[in-house]
Amino acid sequence: MTPAAATTSRPAPPSAACAVRPLWTISGATAWLRRHPDDVLRMIEDGRLEWAWDIAAGPCRRRREIRIWFESLEWARRHLGCRAAAMLLSPSPTPAQVVERIIGHHRPLLRGSEVQALLNCDRNLVFRHLRSGALRPASGQASLTCRTPLISRESLERFLLARRIQ
């Protein structure tokens, strides 16, 4: 078998959708939907993108840090392009179901680096939320200065429910 034939017989890589972060930035959403950022913001405000959060913290709260649930982007990409489906609303899971899908497991504690990956943000933002009390460290954790603090799942759930843009 030639090298070219060997490469063509390999199975296709898994879908990108199964390996993506659950929450996307505005710039990622604009690229995925092929829309202008202002259009994406309008879609959030009028409910066509139903699941979005503002995760900004501290003195930078004036600047929004918007994250959009990937499954909401997928629905919009499939249904909002055709005129007939423009008036349809997405099938709505409950907020608790969405938070459960975002987190992806039932463990009571999450590492700071895991929360950072889920929120699609840097560790400084996670630490600002810990210092402000928006996220709560695991009870008994001595310091918030360790590289990856343990964060209670309950506080992340409350955070996401409170920060949803509706």
Side-chain angles (χ1 to χ4, degrees):
M1 180 167 22
T2 67
T7 58
T8 58
S9 64
R10 291 184 183 161
S15 166
C18 65
V20 298
R21 291 181 184 225
L23 299 180
W24 284 35
T25 62
I26 286 287
S27 60
T30 59
W32 187 253
L33 296 175
R34 296 181 180 172
R35 303 263 179 135
H36 190 274
D38 293 338
D39 293 336
V40 173
L41 289 172
R42 270 192 294 280
M43 290 171 73
I44 292 168
E45 290 165 2
D46 68 18
R48 289 179 288 161
L49 280 174
E50 186 176 7
W51 298 100
W53 293 263
D54 184 359
I55 63 167
C60 301
R61 184 82 197 255
R62 284 172 270 157
R63 186 174 145 250
R64 297 172 85 185
E65 289 279 344
I66 295 177
R67 299 297 182 269
I68 306 163
W69 188 34
F70 179 73
E71 289 186 32
S72 190
L73 290 171
E74 272 288 275
W75 186 90
R77 190 173 186 188
R78 283 193 308 269
H79 294 94
L80 296 179
C82 64
R83 205 164 265 239
M87 297 308 290
L88 294 175
L89 293 175
S90 65
S92 295
T94 66
Q97 290 171 327
V98 172
V99 168
E100 189 171 314
R101 287 188 202 166
I102 289 170
I103 296 174
H105 60 72
H106 296 286
R107 294 190 317 262
L109 300 175
L110 293 92
R111 293 181 316 277
S113 57
E114 186 178 3
V115 172
Q116 178 182 335
L118 291 173
L119 296 179
N120 197 1
C121 66
D122 64 11
R123 70 186 190 124
N124 294 326
L125 184 60
V126 172
F127 279 105
R128 283 197 301 272
H129 284 304
L130 283 166
R131 281 192 295 275
S132 74
L135 290 174
R136 202 176 70 232
S139 59
Q141 184 156 353
S143 169
L144 295 179
T145 59
C146 64
R147 291 189 71 70
T148 184
L150 292 176
I151 298 168
S152 80
R153 176 192 173 95
E154 178 189 339
S155 75
L156 179 59
E157 289 172 347
R158 279 188 285 113
F159 174 82
L160 287 170
L161 292 172
R163 295 300 185 100
R164 182 174 172 209
I165 300 170
Q166 296 183 352

